[in-house]
Amino acid sequence: MKHRVVQLATAIALALTAGGAAAQGMQDVTRATLDNGLRVVIVRDTLAPVVATEINYLAGSDDVPAGFPGTAHAVEHMMFRGSPGLSKDQLAAIAANMGGAFNADTTQGVTQYYFVAPAQDLDVALHVQSLRMRGADMDPAAWAKERGAIEQEVSRDLSNPSYKFYEQLQAQLFEGTPYAHTPLGTRDSFDKTTAAMLKQFHDSWYAPNNAILVIAGDVDPAATLATVKADFGDIARKDLPARPAFAFRPVQAKTVKMPTDSPYGSVYLGYRMPGTLSKDYAAATVLASALASQRAALFGMGMDGTALFGGFFGQFMPQAGMGMAVGIFPKGGNPQPILAKMQSILAEAASKGIDPALVEAAKRKAIAALEFKKNSVDGLANAWSGALAFQGLDSPDAMKQAIEAVTPDAVNALARASFDPAHAVAAILTPESSGKPVAGKGFGGAESFASSPDKPVLLPDWAAHAFDQLSVPRSTLSPVKTTLPNGLTLIVQPESISDTVEVFGQIRTNEDLQAAKNQEGVADVLGGLFPFGTTHLNRLRYQQALDAISAQAHAGARFSLAVPSEHFAEGMKLLADNELHPALPEQAFAVVQRQVAGMVAGQIQSPDFLARYGMDKALLPAGDPGLRFAKPLNVMRLTLNRVERYYQQTFRPDMTTIVIVGKVDPAQAQSVVEQTFGGWKASGPRPDVDYAAVPANKRSQFHVPDASASQDSVQLSQTIDVTRDDPARYALNLGNQVLGGGFYASRLYRDLRDKSGLVYNVSSSFNLDKHRGTYSVSYGSDPDKVAAARAMVIRDLKQMQSEPVSSSDLKRAKGILLRQIPLSESSFGGIGGQLLQLSIDGKPLDAMTIAGQHYLQLTAPQVQQAFAKHIRPDDFVTVVKGPMP
């Protein structure tokens, strides 16, 4: 099939071009509209041998039957249970074999299905998407199982107070329209939903003339277009149902008050705004960005002590959107002054308008963000899907043009129309304690579950050939590594995919090992002071300088810069000034000190902290530095002098790595870094910031109450005698891909979700440091399902120890890890993060390729032996956060 498609590529491409495909502004974008109405956009991006495919169906929760708000969401779930000609197990195996992202998202007006995979697997990804457009298996028995999983997802989201407020906000802002409910759905409606209803929704809306296919990556556009034609061309168009009408009513002012399990409180002030299809959408995005600026009054609330943090964000749907001011207050604090201040700021924005300088800065930032989208293969695909499917535009460039045309007058007119206090919805989420942890008597119960034998999945011929041969992919990276005279490590990876540069930096520090006794919290206070500018530029002038070059920078122990390549040197000068010469003003110290103390006071009483700290106490010996944590009294006893001393002791060039990715020559980058960071000096010996080894933990379990949760969050963890440099890590990582990796094809997913519907998601992972390591399994489930799910986890782990994994599972796990090599190089963020971590860990920069060679050679008995030697299934510490199981 593939051979035939390639042979026909040129002829079909020419025919489609004559019928409507054309180059769009630049030669790397190709469009086509098939005879059946399917719109196709192919964007060539050579950053890495990776491709992203996104099929956008122009239907979502807007289009569901009355009383069944989650129908579109349920159909999305069922699309992963197979299609005619492709079983559920085959689909799971294919997705896992590709090694990348394979998922979906349901919104109000669009349901999106996406693959991110090695470019070599494009034909397989497209064929899968075409089969799922043709039909999905809506078997009643399969829906009964999937209903259990989707109800776990509902419970998870409804355990989040912020989500519950979001539901109420939508209901208030959009009463009487389809937007009055979220796409999630409800347990009651899912209980009444039938498989036949789901099939009807799919058959009605999943049509080529109601879809937009976006393909971005390192592909041959002509051959790709031919493949699309072959896979999708004979799918019949459909007569689409009528779409719902939107008749928005005036919003009635309302204040919502709710408890939260968060360590801090939140104040929200929401307004209805234009949607993505509105002529005012560009102005709305600029308005939201201007209000969110670090130079604006809302952010200033967090800088003058009015709030712990202040800001603004917008969320936009096709027909309407919402703008939201937010202020954060400490537990026990008074939210009313923050609410009053937010109301005053937005009233002034409506009456006096927005500072024109902030409007222009917001425009530059939004336009630069479109260029930065090119720095990720899937980000580029998202940009095109957003423009075409969500914004109704011709391309991301059309959004750029719309933003460029926005005027201060247009922004001010929208502010006047939107920020009417008579139509505002306010919310106050107040933190409340849920109780102290309680030792458990055991959550495992006496359940026994029979395990069905592993059966190799026989893939269809069109997919099998893609995964026949395993080899270590060639990395496309060629980083240049240099050590400056002051000990700073510099790594440069040139990339020409965009006119931008991204910088990723880290200083190896560890407060637990470096802070003086009773000075816990000093690192947080120091981190909170960097936004106050430098000794040369106060915070507003510093941010103004960044805005002038469309750059974003963050300073601290982890620091970063994103800047157009033409302003790289200027951006590095500003970043270095903040990193090496922070202002650390006395007045700001007093503000940040109170803020951190307030945050800490709430944090140490929060269920999340109690669960995390309880786990650490059970895993680590008494007195271990990892058990140190900040208390309000520690923070309030700090002085600015102590913070400055900690900065001088811990911020050292010989503990620092800088990675630069983008359109920059390595010699130029080195010259700029030497000019900006070369004068930085260290004194005294390099500190040791790695935790010491610890003994094996003992089995224990406990429960942390969380009054706001309806679902339990469960974590099983244990210390292991494996570190990040131990050769055993390769076999353990490979085995973990069989057990908890590969998502839909993993044993834990299959047993806990697919077969039993006990959980919505489950994951397992290793965390390996220089001298210590841990292994963890996490899942969320209803309280009455915690024990059954835990028993299955233990059973599957013991099976990993008692018998070798099957040859098909082993091959799939190897394929996943090998394919992750190019996938990890498909974005500037992925490249920068990978090179930074490898350098910080003292590993060679080609460590991913070296690991691939190890994975290729490993055998099933070696994996079995590693799990038998290093994992102790009966010695987990089990923490359950939420209702009592």
Side-chain angles (χ1 to χ4, degrees):
M1 176 179 174
K2 181 178 180 181
H3 178 66
R4 174 178 174 272
V5 167
V6 172
Q7 284 182 319
L8 294 175
T10 303
I12 293 176
L14 289 173
L16 286 172
T17 300
Q24 302 296 319
M26 55 182 177
Q27 61 181 11
D28 283 344
V29 179
T30 303
R31 298 174 187 263
T33 299
L34 305 191
D35 290 343
N36 59 12
L38 177 66
R39 286 183 280 168
V40 184
V41 174
I42 303 167
V43 187
R44 187 166 183 265
D45 182 321
T46 57
L47 176 62
V50 169
V51 65
T53 70
E54 297 181 351
I55 186 85
N56 300 278
Y57 293 99
L58 306 184
S61 62
D62 294 352
D63 309 296
V64 301
F68 294 88
T71 299
H73 184 199
V75 170
E76 174 215 307
H77 274 245
M78 292 301 291
M79 288 281 278
F80 291 84
R81 284 194 165 265
S83 297
L86 183 68
S87 73
K88 168 183 62 66
D89 291 338
Q90 288 174 328
L91 176 60
I94 289 170
N97 282 335
M98 290 186 185
F102 171 54
N103 217 323
D105 182 50
T106 302
T107 66
Q108 284 78 9
V110 179
T111 304
Q112 184 182 83
Y113 298 85
Y114 58 87
F115 274 108
V116 181
Q120 69 198 55
D121 297 329
L122 173 60
D123 287 4
V124 177
L126 290 174
H127 197 64
V128 168
Q129 299 282 36
S130 71
L131 290 176
R132 302 208 298 173
M133 180 181 285
R134 294 172 191 272
D137 290 335
M138 301 292 183
D139 177 71
W143 165 236
K145 291 182 178 179
E146 192 60 35
R147 180 191 287 120
I150 200 170
E151 288 182 348
Q152 293 302 314
E153 182 182 5
V154 172
S155 291
R156 180 199 65 184
D157 287 349
L158 291 180
S159 294
N160 183 336
S162 295
Y163 182 83
K164 287 189 281 190
F165 154 66
Y166 172 72
E167 277 197 321
Q168 292 192 34
L169 175 67
Q170 279 206 206
Q172 191 72 13
L173 289 178
F174 307 116
E175 183 182 4
T177 76
Y179 291 170
H181 60 77
T182 73
L184 180 66
T186 64
R187 295 187 76 141
D188 288 344
S189 66
F190 286 133
D191 286 342
K192 295 181 287 185
T193 299
T194 66
M197 294 169 62
L198 302 182
K199 184 178 187 305
Q200 182 180 2
F201 187 90
H202 178 281
D203 292 348
S204 298
W205 292 105
Y206 281 53
N209 52 309
N210 196 42
I212 300 172
L213 173 60
V214 174
I215 302 166
D218 190 9
V219 301
D220 179 326
T224 299
L225 199 51
T227 303
V228 172
K229 177 70 173 179
D231 281 334
F232 292 87
D234 64 345
I235 302 176
R237 66 167 54 236
K238 297 177 181 177
D239 293 328
L240 301 174
R243 297 190 183 274
F246 284 81
F248 293 107
R249 307 171 185 172
V251 178
Q252 300 300 312
K254 181 179 181 180
T255 299
V256 176
K257 296 184 178 181
M258 298 177 62
T260 177
D261 62 349
S262 172
Y264 51 80
S266 305
V267 181
Y268 295 98
L269 195 57
Y271 302 85
R272 192 160 68 209
M273 295 184 73
T276 59
L277 298 178
S278 168
K279 63 180 178 58
D280 294 321
Y281 173 58
T285 62
V286 172
L287 172 59
S289 180
L291 289 170
S293 169
Q294 293 190 25
R295 295 157 59 192
L298 286 169
F299 187 84
M301 294 194 307
M303 308 304 284
D304 64 16
T306 301
L308 299 179
F309 170 82
F312 190 93
F313 63 93
Q315 181 169 329
F316 302 99
M317 297 161 286
Q319 303 296 333
M322 61 182 83
M324 187 79 60
V326 59
I328 305 299
F329 63 94
K331 184 173 184 177
N334 182 4
Q336 293 303 324
I338 298 176
L339 177 59
K341 181 69 171 179
M342 289 162 53
Q343 291 168 330
S344 173
I345 291 171
L346 292 175
E348 184 171 332
S351 62
K352 298 182 180 180
I354 308 296
D355 182 349
L358 294 184
V359 172
E360 289 306 310
K363 290 173 61 176
R364 287 195 297 269
K365 181 178 179 181
I367 292 169
L370 294 173
E371 184 70 12
F372 283 109
K373 286 282 189 180
K374 299 177 183 177
N375 297 346
S376 163
V377 173
D378 60 325
L380 183 61
N382 288 339
W384 277 89
S385 289
L388 274 64
F390 290 84
Q391 296 161 13
L393 299 175
D394 187 58
S395 70
D397 279 346
M399 187 62 192
K400 176 182 177 181
Q401 294 165 11
I403 291 170
E404 288 173 337
V406 172
T407 65
D409 286 345
V411 171
N412 292 336
L414 182 58
R416 285 193 300 272
S418 301
F419 301 144
D420 184 342
H423 304 300
V425 178
I428 300 173
L429 277 61
T430 303
E432 293 184 359
S433 298
S434 297
K436 296 181 179 180
V438 179
K441 299 180 180 179
F443 305 119
E447 292 88 346
S448 176
F449 298 91
S451 174
S452 59
D454 290 337
K455 297 179 180 179
V457 178
L458 184 63
L459 296 180
D461 291 342
W462 53 265
H465 74 273
F467 311 114
D468 279 344
Q469 301 298 320
L470 295 179
S471 62
V472 180
R474 182 184 65 84
S475 172
T476 59
L477 303 184
S478 53
V480 178
K481 184 176 181 179
T482 308
T483 301
L484 272 58
N486 61 3
L488 186 149
T489 299
L490 172 64
I491 301 170
V492 183
Q493 173 60 38
E495 297 288 352
S496 59
I497 204 69
S498 74
D499 293 323
T500 67
V501 178
E502 296 190 37
V503 179
F504 309 86
Q506 182 175 340
I507 304 168
R508 294 191 65 223
T509 66
N510 187 336
E511 184 191 78
D512 291 342
L513 297 176
Q514 294 178 285
K517 184 178 180 181
N518 295 323
Q519 291 186 24
E520 294 86 356
V522 63
D524 289 333
V525 173
L526 173 61
L529 288 171
F530 280 99
F532 285 89
T534 76
T535 55
H536 306 103
L537 298 171
N538 67 28
R539 76 170 186 90
L540 293 177
R541 290 178 59 204
Y542 179 76
Q543 189 60 45
Q544 185 178 10
L546 289 172
D547 288 343
I549 59 173
S550 302
Q552 296 187 59
H554 175 79
R558 295 185 71 96
F559 53 95
S560 62
L561 171 70
V563 62
S565 53
E566 63 179 318
H567 298 300
F568 169 63
E570 298 164 82
M572 286 296 290
K573 182 179 179 180
L574 288 168
L575 175 64
D577 193 26
N578 200 6
E579 195 72 16
L580 307 186
H581 308 290
L584 307 182
E586 182 78 44
Q587 184 177 1
F589 166 73
V591 171
V592 173
Q593 183 181 40
R594 290 193 301 271
Q595 290 175 329
V596 172
M599 287 287 288
V600 165
Q603 180 182 17
I604 61 178
Q605 299 178 59
S606 69
D608 280 345
F609 174 84
L610 294 173
R612 186 170 60 252
Y613 184 69
M615 175 66 77
D616 288 343
K617 280 186 66 177
L619 292 176
L620 303 175
D624 188 271
L627 296 175
R628 295 182 71 178
F629 66 93
K631 304 178 184 68
L633 185 60
N634 300 141
V635 175
M636 291 308 297
R637 285 178 174 172
L638 290 172
T639 63
L640 181 57
N641 179 261
R642 289 174 174 175
V643 174
E644 291 172 334
R645 189 182 310 130
Y646 181 80
Y647 168 77
Q648 296 295 338
Q649 292 173 347
T650 60
F651 278 53
R652 303 168 53 105
D654 56 353
M655 299 292 284
T656 301
T657 298
I658 294 178
V659 178
I660 300 174
V661 184
K663 195 170 185 178
V664 62
D665 177 77
Q668 175 203 2
Q670 181 176 340
S671 175
V672 169
V673 173
E674 286 175 340
Q675 293 173 28
T676 53
F677 285 88
W680 189 15
K681 304 297 181 184
S683 61
R686 294 181 62 184
D688 183 0
V689 295
D690 294 302
Y691 295 109
V694 293
N697 65 277
K698 296 181 180 180
R699 172 179 175 168
S700 64
Q701 54 276 321
F702 62 93
H703 168 245
V704 177
D706 186 345
S708 66
S710 57
Q711 184 186 66
D712 281 321
S713 298
V714 185
Q715 181 171 342
L716 287 67
S717 292
Q718 63 179 245
T719 57
I720 60 173
D721 59 348
V722 178
T723 63
R724 68 186 182 212
D725 296 317
D726 193 323
R729 71 188 187 276
Y730 297 118
L732 290 171
N733 282 335
L734 185 58
N736 192 56
Q737 284 298 321
V738 174
L739 185 69
F743 193 29
Y744 296 100
S746 75
R747 289 186 178 181
L748 291 177
Y749 179 90
R750 178 197 64 199
D751 290 341
L752 274 70
R753 171 172 167 165
D754 184 46
K755 289 185 176 181
S756 63
L758 294 175
V759 307
Y760 172 63
N761 53 20
V762 56
S763 62
S764 57
S765 62
F766 290 97
N767 183 12
L768 306 180
D769 291 334
K770 187 174 183 178
H771 303 299
R772 60 175 65 171
T774 57
Y775 181 60
S776 301
V777 180
S778 302
Y779 60 89
S781 71
D782 286 343
D784 62 341
K785 298 179 174 65
V786 169
R790 186 186 186 282
M792 285 188 179
V793 170
I794 302 304
R795 182 206 67 195
D796 284 356
L797 272 169
K798 290 183 175 180
Q799 186 180 14
M800 292 289 296
Q801 298 178 317
S802 63
E803 57 189 78
V805 300
S806 69
S807 59
S808 60
D809 277 353
L810 185 68
K811 183 177 181 180
R812 180 168 56 249
K814 289 182 177 182
I816 292 171
L817 291 171
L818 292 172
R819 279 171 160 79
Q820 286 176 358
I821 295 175
L823 290 165
S824 68
E825 301 172 2
S826 65
S827 69
F828 281 18
I831 294 168
Q834 175 179 303
L835 293 176
L836 181 63
Q837 193 59 54
L838 290 174
S839 178
I840 291 291
D841 290 345
K843 295 182 180 294
L845 299 185
D846 62 348
M848 294 290 286
T849 298
I850 295 171
Q853 294 165 347
H854 282 278
Y855 295 139
L856 202 58
Q857 300 301 321
L858 281 167
T859 65
Q862 289 174 316
V863 171
Q864 178 189 353
Q865 291 163 12
F867 268 75
K869 180 178 180 180
H870 299 291
I871 305 299
R872 299 168 288 120
D874 293 324
D875 290 335
F876 278 107
V877 177
T878 302
V879 179
V880 180
K881 180 176 72 73
M884 176 65 77

